[in-house]
Amino acid sequence: MLIAVDGPLASGKGTIARALSAKFGLPHLDTGTLYRAVAVAVLDAGDDPADSAAAEAAARALDPASIDEAKIRTAGAGAAASIVSAHPKVRAALKEVQQEFARQPGGAVLDGRDIGTVIAPDADVKLFVTASAEVRASRRWSELVGRGENVSLEQIMSQLAERDGRDASRPDAPLMKAADAVELDTTDMDEGEAIRAAIAIVEARR
């Protein structure tokens, strides 16, 4: 069974994807980690995330096994990832990595922003996880503050609006709900409720 989970930042898609992976015994790939790792590599090299050539070079040199989870989860890495992910050549470089993961015998769970539309359009189950901008910003702010970052809720709201706009408007693989995806709005759900709702959707589609 191949499950595609898409949605904007802090909608809960990652938590849901990990839970589905555990529930159904499927390998999981958070595709956002690939773009974040590329962004960190660009920044570490002293390059500009807006530099398409530098971002493409970082994407083609990426070793998924060497990704530093701590470094890629900062607010700065997330903002830079949104920029590098808009480069068509970066997306092309990482597309095969994601599709190879999706082609595993037995299935997989992938979460991102273009899984159900571009990476795995033939997925058996597609979820589009969303939530209000206010709730998503609050979740993201709590996550970053919990990691010791000094950021304000207002900063996160601004960054989230900017990222949403960039993700939805990029010409190559924009964030969008697949026509056959089931939308799951987690605005008024806690983590357990969201996970249970997602499992119910998958079981109904099996």
Side-chain angles (χ1 to χ4, degrees):
M1 180 168 58
L2 179 57
I3 303 174
V5 184
D6 289 305
L9 177 69
S11 59
K13 67 178 181 296
T15 297
I16 285 170
R18 287 189 295 273
L20 293 176
S21 168
K23 170 68 176 179
F24 297 105
L26 298 168
H28 167 237
L29 175 63
D30 172 0
T31 62
T33 63
L34 304 178
Y35 292 98
R36 285 172 171 269
V38 169
V40 168
V42 170
L43 294 173
D44 284 351
D47 294 320
D48 185 346
D51 183 336
S52 176
E56 180 190 2
R60 296 198 178 281
L62 179 67
D63 175 9
S66 66
I67 293 176
D68 185 333
E69 282 288 329
K71 289 185 70 173
I72 68 170
R73 294 301 172 187
T74 66
S82 181
I83 296 172
V84 301
S85 68
H87 299 308
K89 290 184 178 180
V90 170
R91 303 200 73 84
L94 297 180
K95 184 177 180 179
E96 179 57 32
V97 175
Q98 298 171 70
Q99 291 187 323
E100 183 177 354
F101 191 92
R103 287 193 294 264
Q104 294 182 74
V109 180
L110 291 84
D111 74 84
R113 286 170 171 75
D114 64 345
I115 309 304
T117 54
V118 176
I119 301 303
D122 58 345
D124 301 294
V125 185
K126 299 178 185 179
L127 282 78
F128 188 83
V129 185
T130 188
S132 71
E134 293 77 13
V135 167
R136 292 191 291 118
S138 179
R139 290 173 181 169
R140 181 62 173 158
W141 177 76
S142 297
E143 177 187 355
L144 292 173
V145 170
R147 290 181 184 153
E149 290 202 46
N150 183 22
V151 291
S152 69
L153 182 57
E154 290 72 22
Q155 286 176 297
I156 297 303
M157 280 288 293
S158 176
Q159 291 177 6
L160 186 143
E162 183 178 340
R163 290 188 62 179
D164 282 354
R166 187 183 296 119
D167 289 343
S169 64
R170 65 182 178 230
D172 187 36
L175 167 67
M176 63 184 295
K177 177 185 172 184
D180 54 347
V182 178
E183 183 169 319
L184 176 57
D185 190 328
T186 67
T187 299
D188 298 317
M189 296 181 179
D190 61 26
E191 183 175 308
E193 291 170 331
I195 289 171
R196 288 191 293 275
I199 289 173
I201 290 170
V202 174
E203 289 183 330
R205 287 293 185 102
R206 293 180 76 182

